[in-house]
Structure formats: structure tokens, C-alpha cells
Amino acid sequence: MTPHDYLNIGAAVWLFICWVGYARFARKRARTDHCLASVLHVYRKNWMIEMLSRENRIADTALIASLERNVSFLASTSILIIAGFVTIMASIDKVYITITALPFANESMSPRQLQLKIVLLLMIYVYAFFTLTWAMRQYGFCSILLGAAPAHDADIGEAERRRYAISTAKIIDQAGHSYNYGLRAYYFSLAILPWFFNTWFFIVAVGVVVGVLYRREFHSTTLRALVRDLTATEAMKK
């Protein structure tokens, strides 16, 4: 084991610390502060409550299908990327020669280290595939719940309608979370690309990804607009 090997191991550990640590931080922070996940949960609940009062629900099913298509695109892309990495593994020597010939390439990187980095990328996209396909299944469950929803003039109590709406919104919420986890896998996989040139660039890139995710989920202009509209809607109801 050379000092460079220890640096690479530490960099890989840094990646998983940032990834898992941010996921835990985001879940905990969402319980107390506004973020995209917490605000969208309220919108989804309001959506399902309004859906139960509508006679025509074609638009609602179309929206669910649209969300499912977005997830399906990334899941299909994950399969193609996985196939590409498997192909690279079969000709790692040629890939090593090509990468080391590039400007700013990491000259101290060995073929074994390159292979391990590609294996790490492969594992990330396998995780993304499983997470995104689970999101697809959950959106499929949502379609079934929309089809089984009571009619707008059904003889049931308001409490029962609200319970059904909240339960359906919760499934949509879980599908959204799974989609978000798969999307984060794409973000962190892109941070690995600088690793082929310099380990320190990779360490900085992981920190940049965490910063981008944090800003978009907790301090983005989109979040402020969603919160402002939600506050205005709730004020009108009062």
C-alpha cells in the first residue's frame, strides 16, 4: 500500500460520508425547516384532496403517468450506463492507456486503481437503477389508488375522504423520495469523473455536489416561490 493508495481509500470514504451524511441531514432538517421535499408533500396532499372532489380525473392520471415517464427515462439510462461500464471492464488496459494519455491525467494511477474507480461507478448506477425502478413501481401503485378512489359524489364521510387523500399523497411522496435518491446518485457519480485526473479534485467535487444539493433543496428560488404560493393559498382558505 502506497500513500497514494491510502489517499484514494480516504477519498472513497469521503464520498460515502458526504452522500449518506447529507441524506440523513436533509431528512432531519426537513422536519423543522422548509425544503423542496416538505413543501411538495403539502402540495401533494392538497392535490389528492382536490382530486377526490373532481368528477373528471383524467388530468390527475396523466400527471402521474408523466412523473412515471421521467423516472423511467433515468432508469433506462442507468441500464445503458451499466452496460457501458461492463464493456469498459472487459478492455481496461486499452482504457487505461487512453485516459493516461489525456492532459492533466493522474500519472500515479495504476490500472488496478482505474478498475476500482470504474467498479465504484458501476455500483452507484446499479443502486440508481434499483432506486429509480422502485420509484416507478410506486407511481404505478399511485395510478391504482387513483383508479380505486371513491367518486366525487360517493356517500362517504369527509374524514374518510381525507384519510384516503392523505394515504395516496403519502405513496406519491415515497415515490418522489425514491426518485430524489436516484437523482442524487447521478450527481455524486459525476463528482467521480475528476478522480480520473486528480484525487484532490475529486474530494473538492464531492463537496461541491453537496453544496449544490443543499442550496437547491433548502435555499433555491423555486423553494421560495413554492413557499410563497403555499402561504398565500392557506391565507385565502382562512
Side-chain angles (χ1 to χ4, degrees):
M1 294 285 287
T2 65
H4 187 69
D5 290 329
Y6 286 112
L7 178 62
N8 278 304
I9 292 173
V13 172
W14 166 249
L15 169 67
F16 287 105
I17 287 175
C18 289
W19 191 345
V20 177
Y22 177 77
R24 291 180 177 271
F25 164 80
R27 284 199 301 268
K28 186 175 181 180
R29 182 75 178 271
R31 298 170 186 168
T32 56
D33 294 336
H34 286 305
C35 70
L36 290 178
S38 62
V39 172
L40 286 176
H41 171 70
V42 179
Y43 275 100
R44 288 164 181 148
K45 184 177 68 175
N46 293 341
W47 174 20
M48 289 299 102
I49 291 174
E50 291 296 323
M51 180 273 297
L52 289 178
S53 65
R54 285 194 282 266
E55 179 180 1
N56 189 333
R57 296 167 182 174
I58 295 176
D60 302 296
T61 55
L63 286 172
I64 292 293
S66 175
L67 293 172
E68 189 174 0
R69 281 195 299 272
N70 292 337
V71 182
S72 175
F73 170 76
L74 286 182
S76 302
T77 304
S78 299
I79 284 290
L80 297 176
I81 295 173
I82 290 170
F85 283 133
V86 171
T87 303
I88 289 174
M89 293 291 290
S91 56
I92 195 68
D93 292 333
K94 295 180 180 179
V95 174
Y96 175 75
I97 294 172
T98 302
I99 290 180
T100 53
L102 294 174
F104 309 108
N106 190 350
E107 297 179 356
S108 60
M109 181 176 60
S110 65
R112 178 174 60 88
Q113 291 173 349
L114 174 62
Q115 193 171 28
L116 290 174
K117 292 172 185 178
I118 293 175
V119 168
L120 179 59
L121 276 169
L122 182 62
M123 291 171 58
I124 289 175
Y125 279 102
V126 168
Y127 165 79
F129 172 76
F130 278 101
T131 306
L132 292 168
T133 50
W134 177 231
M136 287 174 57
R137 290 195 65 190
Q138 288 174 307
Y139 279 126
F141 302 155
C142 297
S143 298
I144 295 173
L145 288 171
L146 286 181
H152 73 286
D153 55 353
D155 188 18
I156 59 174
E158 189 63 29
E160 184 65 19
R161 284 182 177 275
R162 186 173 181 82
R163 182 199 63 78
Y164 194 93
I166 291 176
S167 297
T168 306
K170 183 65 176 178
I171 302 298
I172 301 176
D173 225 34
Q174 292 301 311
H177 287 316
S178 296
Y179 175 62
N180 197 21
Y181 296 152
L183 202 56
R184 285 178 191 168
Y186 271 78
Y187 275 84
F188 281 105
S189 70
L190 292 176
I192 294 179
L193 295 180
W195 201 2
F196 294 106
F197 301 96
N198 187 285
T199 305
W200 291 108
F201 288 168
F202 163 64
I203 293 173
V204 172
V206 172
V208 169
V209 167
V210 172
V212 169
L213 289 173
Y214 174 74
R215 186 184 181 283
R216 289 184 177 181
E217 292 193 40
F218 292 93
H219 295 287
S220 64
T221 304
T222 301
L223 174 63
R224 289 195 293 269
L226 289 171
V227 172
R228 183 172 60 250
D229 292 343
L230 185 63
T231 304
T233 302
E234 291 177 349
M236 290 176 60
K237 290 181 179 179
K238 293 179 180 180

